Amino acid sequence: MDLEYAGALNQAIRLLSLRHRARAAQLLAPLGLHAGQEALLLELDRTGPRIQAQLSEALGCEPPSVTLMTRKLEASGHIKRTPDPADKRATVVALTDGGKALVEQIRQLWLTLAEETIRGLPADTLGQLPGILHTMSTNVSGKPPA
Amino acid sequence: MDLEYAGALNQAIRLLSLRHRARAAQLLAPLGLHAGQEALLLELDRTGPRIQAQLSEALGCEPPSVTLMTRKLEASGHIKRTPDPADKRATVVALTDGGKALVEQIRQLWLTLAEETIRGLPADTLGQLPGILHTMSTNVSGKPPA
DNA sequence: GCGTAATGGTTATGCGCATAATCTTATGCG
DNA sequence: CGCATAAGATTATGCGCATAACCATTACGC
């Protein structure tokens, strides 16, 4: 691998990150959501109520970030935070009814976003794309490949 | 395209963004840099001195972000900001000697990061990877495809 | 030429992320 | 047991990004 390829690759990843996130933000704004919050709601919908430590792990961000995000999502009425009776340290986070309804809208937006993103890519690329992205993610995750 | 694929794709892009950036931050920390600043320095090195509006365009971020980043990079001595004699509104940004030396180190780190990122990917994928990422970027850039 | 629009920058504010330090509660081991 | 350690959460702080509002300058149309 040469310096030029490396530079192009890293820059391409950086640009995709910025723009994909920016586009997501545009689409989520009408719902009153900021980019990043949708992932928390989708995760809650996918697995049911979870404590923040689990959310932190699933979302790939640190506990303090989850604390602030959950605060704001609770303030806007999309989730509810209740102390865990079995572990007094933990607080469990659950979707409200309003939150569940929001998730349905998010799913539609994410379909739009994904279709927009992969427009013009060859069909065989589409099949391997999630795998490629996942491989790169775990490669730089620092964690040993389980 | 189904909802499941869309969700997996968007989530994969989000995770790759977070982790690639986090790993970049780890590598840049010993140089006293924060993730994002390296792009500005690399761009300056690639094209020579530029005014902030051009940097904003090249980096894919908004002018206020450039203002703050250039301030900090100037404070740490890596760049120099001087008023443009031809246009009293503009300020041109140039690498200092120290900044140029830093760029060489950044290039090495970016080689490391890129090799780490694409580890385990098939050879034919590597060839098309930059193109795929670029296509996706422009797809969500909002700009008409020039 | 002059007034209006466009361009370059900055300030203020807010969000998502990070790390470091701290507090509380669980858990492990002697 | 009791005590050290680990785990869950929070606070404080800082950076990169964003938008909105504003100022200074340049460019343009009449």
Side-chain angles (χ1 to χ4, degrees):
Chain A
M1 155 133 49
D2 57 307
L3 287 171
E4 191 184 347
Y5 181 90
L9 183 63
N10 288 326
Q11 168 76 338
I13 293 175
R14 179 182 170 275
L15 258 189
L16 174 60
S17 301
L18 274 177
R19 300 202 157 137
H20 185 267
R21 183 182 182 85
R23 185 72 183 112
Q26 276 182 14
L27 294 171
L28 292 169
L31 304 187
L33 290 178
H34 293 263
Q37 300 183 325
E38 85 291 341
L40 200 155
L41 298 179
L42 287 168
E43 174 66 15
L44 277 183
D45 186 70
R46 195 176 65 84
T47 65
R50 313 200 73 174
I51 71 173
Q52 293 185 184
Q54 293 173 320
L55 286 175
S56 167
E57 173 65 24
L59 299 182
C61 62
E62 301 300 315
S65 304
V66 175
T67 292
L68 298 178
M69 287 173 66
T70 52
R71 255 216 230 305
K72 285 162 191 166
L73 286 172
E74 183 175 43
S76 35
H78 303 128
I79 64 177
K80 179 124 180 285
R81 282 148 42 95
T82 57
D84 186 338
D87 186 338
K88 291 180 188 170
R89 299 168 302 178
T91 76
V92 319
V93 183
L95 285 174
T96 62
D97 289 349
K100 286 175 196 165
L102 241 192
V103 166
E104 293 311 311
Q105 299 185 257
I106 295 173
R107 270 199 234 287
Q108 289 305 317
L109 291 183
W110 266 36
L111 186 58
T112 303
L113 177 56
E115 282 173 341
E116 206 173 306
T117 303
I118 53 91
R119 186 166 301 149
L121 256 39
D124 61 319
T125 296
L126 296 189
Q128 38 193 40
L129 192 50
I132 293 171
L133 296 172
H134 180 260
T135 296
M136 294 195 289
S137 281
T138 59
N139 278 347
V140 291
S141 72
K143 308 268 180 173
Chain B
M1 155 132 48
D2 57 306
L3 287 172
E4 191 185 347
Y5 182 89
L9 183 64
N10 288 326
Q11 167 76 336
I13 292 175
R14 180 181 169 273
L15 258 188
L16 174 60
S17 300
L18 274 178
R19 300 203 155 137
H20 186 266
R21 184 183 182 86
R23 184 74 182 112
Q26 276 182 14
L27 294 171
L28 292 169
L31 304 186
L33 291 177
H34 293 263
Q37 301 182 324
E38 86 289 341
L40 200 155
L41 297 178
L42 287 168
E43 173 66 16
L44 277 182
D45 185 72
R46 195 176 66 83
T47 64
R50 314 200 73 174
I51 71 172
Q52 294 185 184
Q54 293 173 320
L55 286 174
S56 167
E57 173 65 24
L59 299 182
C61 60
E62 300 301 315
S65 304
V66 175
T67 293
L68 298 178
M69 286 173 65
T70 52
R71 255 215 228 305
K72 286 163 189 167
L73 285 171
E74 183 175 42
S76 35
H78 303 129
I79 63 176
K80 180 127 180 286
R81 283 150 38 98
T82 57
D84 186 337
D87 187 339
K88 291 178 189 173
R89 300 168 299 177
T91 75
V92 319
V93 183
L95 284 173
T96 62
D97 289 348
K100 287 175 193 162
L102 241 192
V103 166
E104 293 310 312
Q105 299 184 256
I106 294 173
R107 269 199 235 287
Q108 290 305 316
L109 291 184
W110 266 35
L111 186 56
T112 302
L113 177 56
E115 284 173 340
E116 207 173 306
T117 303
I118 53 92
R119 185 165 302 150
L121 255 40
D124 61 319
T125 296
L126 296 188
Q128 38 193 39
L129 191 50
I132 293 172
L133 295 171
H134 180 260
T135 295
M136 293 195 290
S137 281
T138 58
N139 277 348
V140 291
S141 73
K143 309 268 181 172

